[in-house]
Amino acid sequence: MSPESNNNKSAGMRPGGVAAAGPSAAISYPKAKEPMGLNRLFSLSYPVKSGIARVALLALAVGFEYLSRNCDKLKKEISTWEEGRVFALSVLSKGPSVVLRKENGAIRYIGGNLKDSEIVFYFKNIDSALMLFAGLIGAHTASAQHRTIVHGDIGIAMEVLRAMNIAQSYLYPGIVLKKTFKRAPKLSFSEQILKLKLMLALLPGIVAAYKK
Amino acid sequence: MKADFYEFFCPVKVISGKQALSNLPHEMDQLNVKRALIVTDKGVAGAGLISYVQDAFQGSSCEIGHIFDETPPDSSNMVVNQVAELFRQKNCDCFVAVGGGSCIDTAKGANIVVTEQTDDLMKFRGAERLKKAMKPLLVVPTTAGTGSEVTLVAVISNVQAGVKMAFTSDRLYPNVAILDPKMTMTMPPKITAATGMDALTHAIEAYYCLQKNPISDSLAITAIKLAMGNLVQCVENGKDESARLAMANSSLIAGMAFSNSMVGVVHALAHATGGVCHVPHGVANAILLPFGMENNLAKKAAEIGELAPYLCGREIQGDDRAKAVAAIQAVRDLNKKLNQLGGLPNRLRDAGVTEDKLEAIAKVAVNDGALIYNPEEVTFEEALDILRRAF
């Protein structure tokens, strides 16, 4: 046997170790790298990802409720909304949802049934939702990348989106806001205190909302 | 350019050239339909353009079921329902829109009504709600600006609710777009200038807004080259067939670009200016375009600067900002030229906007969906500032 017959060429292999296309060629790929950091989220099983998304959605809902009573910026933003406006966030096609309604001037979480929602922000899949909740992308990037779609009136959706941005500015750390917002909001001292209070109220709020 | 993540879709067959309209019945046959409902308006019919369409059907097995020529400048749910009813009554099996954006949107809206078997379009507002296969839609544009012949969008007013309903869906793309220069030859210079600037605005905003991608970029640049090389000729000499065809192509290609990359603050403000003060969309876009580009200068100088050679007609020396500033100046120079040649207004005050309306326009603009895709954040105060500068 010549030395050549024992090398990659005779086995239909290219010098780099990747098999050439052919009926008998076996293709060997290098093993995919384990995802690092936050990207590990995407390799979790669907039920786990769905659970994380549900908790994140509830955190947003609880934050919305709390801030709509205590944050002047959000109160001003929703002051022009009609009473009874219902909007929702949901993950397609059978993922978690949260539905919120304006009641007595504030926002209230009313469960997960989308039936009466005027506006629904849909994530096209669970990974897109996780990208947003993990602070990897902002709401505008999610729209620009077609990761989210809106059902309903676009003008009303823009109002809701502005309100959601205010809520998010209290839910995420500054470093994430810097990365995900077009213009990162700057919170005053009193707003930082409000953020702290919200953080303390968040866990019991999520637990209570989870039971609804 | 690098793109993190994007989608691109445009399933429209394009037929462009002299006598392209003659292909209309053949294209209907290819789509396995025989009886067309023509959706047009009085202006198009009065200019004799529908007779060209009728001529195209001679010697073909396809026929015109009905001609609806009462499309208003702003399409409404009532008109759409009327067109859908005619479609059923006359046993038509496809729509042929002949006209500008309103005729095309009316046909798209009527198609939703017919396909979904509804008379309540409100249920379908928003993005990607249409799932059923729609009736074939063939489009023959008679303006060169909207690009609606290749977009997934339709905007229809709801008269009762007093709102503009926006629909976006892959199902709303027409099947065929036919660009025949004889269909745009009768456009007066001022409308030619305004619609041409609409196309240029689509292309420029598509190039620097947030949904931009490598495919829309190449389309946007081609559209800009065609517009910069032919718009002035079309305004100067409306009978220049080759320039007219080039502008029709510029509009279509810009439509493909912005349908996939979306537009930004210029369109948000132009939609609002149209809604509040009834300024034609192309005129508002033309006036606001340089101000919208300036609004994004801090974040998108590199992208705007990349357009300088195409807008200025020569290489520009200097850094990104210098190139971007030159690109913006080139748009201003073009506006000035079109003002001299075709009477295109260069300021909002010259387009019928009064100063007391600026706040109302800004208020509407901040709720326009296009703002999501603008690279720079735009608050009410900033929208008002742009309007004041353009006033």
Side-chain angles (χ1 to χ4, degrees):
Chain A
M1 189 181 277
S2 74
E4 266 197 328
S5 64
N6 203 20
N7 66 14
N8 286 342
K9 267 184 193 168
S10 62
M13 299 290 276
R14 289 187 182 136
V18 178
S24 60
I27 302 173
S28 68
Y29 293 103
K31 196 172 184 319
K33 277 185 188 166
E34 283 293 321
M36 305 283 283
L38 279 174
N39 285 327
R40 295 174 77 169
L41 266 178
F42 306 111
S43 58
L44 298 171
S45 68
Y46 179 82
V48 175
K49 288 195 275 190
S50 179
I52 294 171
R54 183 161 183 220
V55 170
L57 282 168
L58 288 174
L60 185 63
V62 169
F64 233 124
E65 277 189 338
Y66 184 86
L67 293 165
S68 70
R69 292 190 305 269
N70 298 292
C71 167
D72 291 340
K73 255 192 253 174
L74 187 58
K75 279 200 256 186
K76 189 183 168 199
E77 185 63 48
I78 64 171
S79 64
T80 54
W81 295 11
E82 72 284 0
E83 275 293 305
R85 176 181 291 183
V86 181
F87 63 97
L89 287 103
S90 180
V91 182
L92 289 171
S93 59
K94 289 180 177 172
S97 305
V98 287
V99 184
L100 299 120
R101 182 166 61 206
K102 184 181 175 187
E103 281 179 12
N104 303 319
I107 301 298
R108 199 177 141 231
Y109 167 63
I110 57 167
N113 189 344
L114 299 175
K115 200 169 79 73
D116 297 321
S117 299
E118 209 178 331
I119 295 289
V120 186
F121 294 88
Y122 282 108
F123 293 94
K124 286 187 177 174
N125 52 62
I126 198 77
D127 286 344
S128 294
L130 289 183
M131 287 183 93
L132 189 106
F133 298 143
L136 294 172
I137 57 170
H140 63 274
T141 306
S143 292
Q145 295 185 346
H146 296 270
R147 295 184 189 275
T148 55
I149 51 171
V150 176
H151 284 185
D153 184 277
I154 302 296
I156 296 175
M158 289 297 288
E159 290 178 355
V160 175
L161 205 55
R162 270 201 304 276
M164 250 188 306
N165 277 345
I166 295 172
Q168 280 183 314
S169 67
Y170 286 87
L171 286 163
Y172 286 101
I175 191 166
V176 172
L177 298 177
K178 220 170 190 176
K179 190 179 155 197
T180 57
F181 273 53
K182 286 183 190 176
R183 189 186 295 155
K186 285 182 185 143
L187 300 186
S188 64
F189 181 71
S190 61
E191 288 168 336
Q192 294 283 6
I193 298 292
L194 180 61
K195 190 171 187 169
L196 197 64
K197 285 181 182 171
L198 171 64
M199 289 302 138
L200 294 173
L202 212 50
L203 189 61
I206 292 171
V207 173
Y210 199 87
K211 290 175 182 167
K212 272 195 184 176
Chain B
M1 56 111 25
K2 286 196 285 184
D4 286 340
F5 186 100
Y6 72 92
E7 292 183 3
F8 187 96
F9 187 56
C10 185
V12 185
K13 178 172 182 179
V14 177
I15 303 168
S16 166
K18 291 177 186 174
Q19 312 311 331
L21 184 59
S22 306
N23 277 26
L24 176 58
H26 175 73
E27 291 306 320
M28 282 174 59
D29 188 56
Q30 289 297 298
L31 292 162
N32 199 26
V33 287
K34 293 284 174 208
R35 200 169 155 83
L37 176 69
I38 310 277
V39 181
T40 186
D41 61 37
K42 290 275 184 234
V44 172
L49 300 179
I50 293 301
S51 63
Y52 292 142
V53 179
Q54 289 169 311
D55 290 348
F57 278 84
Q58 285 179 17
S60 115
S61 58
C62 298
E63 58 185 352
I64 297 174
H66 187 74
I67 297 170
F68 176 83
D69 65 0
E70 288 165 35
T71 307
D74 279 318
S75 187
S76 73
N77 57 330
M78 288 155 79
V79 177
V80 160
N81 286 339
Q82 191 185 348
V83 172
E85 186 52 35
L86 278 169
F87 186 91
R88 295 185 201 106
Q89 271 177 15
K90 305 287 178 185
N91 292 320
C92 296
D93 54 12
C94 70
F95 291 92
V96 175
V98 184
S102 183
C103 295
I104 302 169
D105 279 4
T106 299
K108 287 178 179 176
N111 208 348
I112 299 172
V113 172
V114 168
T115 305
E116 299 289 342
Q117 296 179 321
T118 179
D119 59 359
D120 182 14
L121 280 175
M122 293 285 268
K123 285 190 288 195
F124 299 95
R125 287 179 303 169
E128 301 179 25
R129 302 190 82 168
L130 306 166
K131 305 283 164 64
K132 294 180 187 166
M134 299 181 79
K135 302 289 179 193
L137 167 62
L138 301 94
V139 177
V140 185
T142 60
T143 62
T146 70
S148 298
E149 65 274 17
V150 285
T151 69
L152 76 171
V153 186
V155 179
I156 293 152
S157 300
N158 185 311
V159 180
Q160 293 83 6
V163 295
K164 283 205 168 190
M165 303 178 288
F167 309 88
T168 63
S169 167
D170 288 347
R171 299 282 184 194
L172 283 175
Y173 279 105
N175 299 77
V176 180
I178 298 178
L179 306 183
D180 190 321
K182 67 172 172 275
M183 301 303 281
T184 57
M185 299 279 268
T186 57
M187 251 198 304
K190 190 173 171 180
I191 298 177
T192 302
T195 52
M197 284 305 293
D198 189 17
L200 189 66
T201 307
H202 290 155
I204 291 176
E205 285 210 290
Y207 196 78
Y208 68 73
C209 281
L210 293 179
Q211 225 176 71
K212 76 192 247 86
N213 60 69
I215 306 173
S216 68
D217 278 358
S218 30
L219 291 167
I221 286 174
T222 303
I224 291 168
K225 280 158 80 174
L226 284 166
M228 294 307 288
N230 295 280
L231 178 54
V232 169
Q233 279 90 318
C234 285
V235 175
E236 278 180 327
N237 174 19
K239 300 290 168 211
D240 183 338
E241 259 193 337
S242 133
R244 286 287 196 191
L245 185 60
M247 271 315 295
N249 273 276
S250 172
S251 167
L252 178 138
I253 295 165
M256 280 183 186
F258 94 81
S259 196
N260 285 278
S261 68
M262 302 310 283
V263 282
V265 67
V266 179
H267 270 76
L269 290 167
H271 292 150
T273 308
V276 176
C277 296
H278 306 289
V279 176
H281 183 60
V283 172
N285 269 342
I287 295 169
L288 292 161
L289 177 57
F291 298 96
M293 292 166 81
E294 278 171 350
N295 168 261
N296 288 292
L297 202 50
K299 281 193 175 170
K300 292 289 169 180
E303 285 81 354
I304 297 171
E306 282 168 17
L307 298 177
Y310 311 108
L311 290 166
C312 303
R314 63 192 163 85
E315 286 295 332
I316 301 294
Q317 300 304 316
D319 60 9
D320 289 344
R321 192 178 167 84
K323 289 176 185 171
V325 168
I328 296 167
Q329 187 54 46
V331 173
R332 289 209 161 95
D333 293 344
L334 177 62
N335 270 339
K336 207 176 279 178
K337 195 159 196 176
L338 294 172
N339 172 266
Q340 289 158 1
L341 293 172
L344 181 75
N346 281 179
R347 312 289 305 180
L348 289 175
R349 72 180 71 193
D350 303 328
V353 177
T354 52
E355 201 167 3
D356 60 311
K357 292 282 195 295
L358 298 183
E359 284 199 12
I361 298 172
K363 208 172 165 186
V364 175
V366 292
N367 282 346
D368 192 285
L371 272 192
I372 295 177
Y373 307 102
N374 195 64
E376 191 60 76
E377 185 75 60
V378 180
T379 61
F380 168 79
E381 290 76 17
E382 285 155 341
L384 188 58
D385 180 57
I386 295 173
L387 290 166
R388 285 197 174 125
R389 284 189 286 124
F391 182 70

